[in-house]
C-alpha cells in the first residue's frame, strides 16, 4: 500500500543505479500556500545492495520499514510493487530512467525550473499575440480566439502552479505577487468558456432526458403500473423541458455575455499589461532568491516536488467513501481540493522529470468531469429557484439536477477506478 508518509516518486533515478528509493518524504496535512518543504532527517546506516545511492551531502539509510512504494513511469524499478504493513502497493509499468534529456544530476532551479518557466512564459506571450490576431473584427466569433485563450490559460496555470510549488527556490515576494495576478487572470478568462460548456451540457442532458426513452422504473411495481408512471413522467418532463432549456439559456447566456465583457475589459486594463510585462521579463530572466536559505533551497527541487505529491496522496486518502448518499453536496469541496492538488503535482512532475505523468491523465480527466457535473447541477438548482416558474419547468429542472448529480457519482467512481494507487483508497 502506498502511504502518505512513504517516499514520493518525483525523484529521478540516477543513471548508474536501477533500484527503488529508500527515503521517506515529508508527511503532514495540506499546508497553506506559500509554505516551504519540510526537512527530512535521514536514518543512519548502510543501504543494502541495490538500494538507491545517497545524494551528495545526504547520509545513507536503510529501506523503509513499510516497504517500497509503487514505481511510476519515469522512475527506476517501474513495475515492481512493494508490500507494506497494510497491503500490497499498486504497480505501474513504464520506461526506467526517463527524465530530462542529458540530465545527469538532481534538478535545480537553474537547470530545470528556470528553463521551464522561460518556456511557459514564451508560450504565454505567443498565445497572447495569437489572441490579439484572432480577436480582430474580421475574425470575430472564430474558434482561433477561443483556442488562443485556452493556451493562454494553460501557460498561466503552469507558471502560477510552479511558482507556488517551488516558491522557496525563487524570490518569494516576486513569486507570490505574480502568482496572485496570474490566478486573477485565469479566473477571468475561464468564466466565459465555463458558462458556454455548462449551457451545452445542460441542454444536451435535457434533450436526452425528454426523449422517447427514459430510465426504467425501479422497485417491485407491476409492469403496467410502471409503464403508466413512466408515460406520465415522460409527458410532464416533455412539457417542462423546453421551458427549462429556455430558462437556462437566458440565464447562462447572460452570464456568458457578462463574462466576455469582463474578459475584454481585463485584457485592456493596466493590470493585465503589468502581468504581460512581468511574464515578458520572466521569459528572459528568472529572479533568484537573495538570502542564503533561498539559495540552498534552489540547489534541489526534489523536496518541494515531493511535498506536493505527499499533499495529493493525503488528500486522495482522505476523500469521503463511496457508500454515502448520492446527493451529499458537502463532499464536493474535498474532491475539488484533490483536483487542485493533482494539477499542482502534474506541473511539478513536468519540472522535475521533464514531462507529464501519463498514469495521471485518466484520474485528472475524471476530476475535470466531476467539476463540470457539480457546476452543472448547481446551475440547474439555481434555475429551479427562479420565482414564479411553472411546476412543469421546476419538475424538469429537478430531474436535470438529479441527472447531473448522478454524473458526479459516475465521475467519482471513474476516478477511483483509474487512480494508480487504488489500495490507498480502501485502506482504513
Amino acid at each position: 500500500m502506498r502511504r502518505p508518509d512513504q517516499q514520493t516518486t518525483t525523484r529521478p533515478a540516477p543513471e548508474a543505479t536501477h533500484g527503488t528509493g529508500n527515503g521517506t518524504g515529508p508527511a503532514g496535512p495540506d499546508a497553506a500556500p506559500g509554505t516551504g518543504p519540510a526537512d527530512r532527517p535521514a536514518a543512519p546506516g548502510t543501504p543494502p545492495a541495490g538500494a538507491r545511492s545517497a545524494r551528495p551531502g545526504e547520509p545513507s539509510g536503510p529501506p523503509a520499514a513499510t516497504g517500497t512504494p509503487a514505481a511510476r513511469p519515469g522512475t527506476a524499478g517501474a513495475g515492481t510493487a512493494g508490500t507494506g504493513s497494510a497491503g500490497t502497493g499498486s504497480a505501474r509499468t513504464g520506461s526506467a530512467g526517463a527524465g530530462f534529456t542529458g540530465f545527469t544530476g538532481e534538478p535545480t532551479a537553474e537547470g530545470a525550473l528556470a528553463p521551464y518557466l522561460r518556456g511557459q512564459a514564451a508560450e504565454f506571450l505567443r498565445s497572447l499575440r495569437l489572441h490579439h490576431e484572432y480577436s480582430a473584427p474580421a475574425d470575430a466569433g472564430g474558434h482561433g480566439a477561443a483556442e488562443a485563450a485556452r493556451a493562454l490559460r494553460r501557460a498561466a496555470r503552469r507558471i502560477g502552479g510552479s511558482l507556488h510549488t517551488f516558491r522557496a527556490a525563487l524570490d518569494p515576494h516576486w513569486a507570490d505577487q505574480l502568482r496572485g495576478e496570474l490566478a486573477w487572470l485565469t479566473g477571468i478568462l475561464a468564466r466565459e468558456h465555463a458558462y458556454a460548456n455548462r449551457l451545452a451540457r445542460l441542454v444536451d442532458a435535457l434533450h436526452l432526458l425528454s426523449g422517447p426513452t427514459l430510465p426504467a422504473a425501479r422497485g417491485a411495481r407491476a409492469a403496467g403500473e410502471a409503464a403508466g408512471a413512466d408515460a406520465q413522467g415522460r409527458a410532464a418532463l416533455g412539457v417542462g423541458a423546453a421551458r427549462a432549456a429556455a430558462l437556462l439559456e437566458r440565464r447562462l447566456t447572460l452570464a456568458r455575455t457578462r463574462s466576455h465583457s469582463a474578459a475584454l475589459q481585463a485584457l485592456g486594463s493596466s493590470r493585465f499589461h503589468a502581468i504581460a510585462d512581468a511574464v515578458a521579463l520572466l521569459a528572459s530572466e528568472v529572479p533568484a532568491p537573495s538570502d542564503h536559505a533561498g539559495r540552498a533551497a534552489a540547489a534541489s527541487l526534489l523536496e518541494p516536488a515531493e511535498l506536493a505529491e505527499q499533499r495529493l496522496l493525503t488528500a486522495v486518502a482522505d476523500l469521503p467513501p463511496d457508500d454515502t448518499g448520492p446527493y451529499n453536496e458537502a463532499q464536493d469541496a474535498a474532491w475539488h481540493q484533490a483536483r487542485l492538488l493533482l494539477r499542482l503535482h502534474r506541473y511539478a512532475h513536468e519540472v522535475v522529470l521533464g514531462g507529464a505523468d501519463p498514469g495521471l491523465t485518466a484520474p485528472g480527466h475524471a476530476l475535470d468531469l466531476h467539476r463540470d457535473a457539480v457546476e452543472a447541477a448547481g446551475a440547474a438548482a439555481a434555475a429551479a429557484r427562479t420565482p414564479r416558474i411553472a411546476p412543469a419547468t421546476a419538475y424538469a429542472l429537478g430531474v436535470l439536477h438529479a441527472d447531473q448529480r448522478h454524473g458526479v457519482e459516475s465521475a467519482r467512481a471513474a476516478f477511483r477506478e483509474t487512480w494508480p494507487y487504488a489500495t490507498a483508497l480502501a485502506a482504513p
Side-chain angles (χ1 to χ4, degrees), residues 366-388:
L367 291 180
D368 289 340
L369 293 178
H370 178 273
R371 186 271 316 270
D372 294 342
V374 167
E375 294 180 347
R385 292 191 291 268
T386 303
R388 298 184 298 276

Side-chain angles (χ1 to χ4, degrees), residues 147-334:
E147 181 59 32
R150 283 192 291 269
L152 188 67
R153 294 200 311 270
R154 284 195 299 267
R157 286 197 305 263
R158 279 168 167 77
I159 295 174
S162 301
L163 294 179
H164 170 75
T165 302
F166 304 106
R167 176 181 181 272
L170 302 165
D171 182 355
H173 177 72
W174 168 83
D176 292 342
Q177 184 177 9
L178 181 57
R179 179 168 61 89
E181 293 300 292
L182 289 174
W184 167 79
L185 177 62
T186 54
I188 289 290
L189 296 180
R191 290 173 188 170
E192 179 184 0
H193 178 72
Y195 283 125
N197 287 349
R198 199 172 306 160
L199 176 60
R201 178 188 180 99
L202 290 173
V203 171
D204 291 343
L206 276 175
H207 177 72
L208 292 175
L209 290 172
S210 60
T213 58
L214 286 179
R218 299 177 182 179
R221 296 178 301 174
E225 181 183 355
D230 289 343
Q232 293 177 1
R234 185 181 299 108
L237 185 59
V239 171
R243 295 180 179 179
L247 176 60
L248 288 171
E249 186 172 0
R250 286 196 304 269
R251 292 172 60 92
L252 295 178
T253 301
L254 177 61
R256 179 186 179 185
T257 302
R258 290 175 176 174
S259 300
H260 180 73
S261 300
L264 292 179
Q265 184 178 2
L267 291 176
S269 64
S270 58
R271 184 177 183 180
F272 172 75
H273 288 297
I275 297 175
D277 292 340
V279 174
L281 292 176
L282 178 62
S284 59
E285 180 182 1
V286 177
S290 57
D291 58 331
H292 177 73
R295 290 193 298 270
S300 177
L301 304 179
L302 295 179
E303 293 286 347
E306 290 175 350
L307 179 59
E309 187 179 43
Q310 291 292 351
R311 290 173 177 171
L312 169 64
L313 296 177
T314 302
V316 172
D318 292 340
L319 287 176
D322 55 358
D323 56 353
T324 55
Y327 300 108
N328 192 346
E329 299 178 1
Q331 300 177 355
D332 295 342

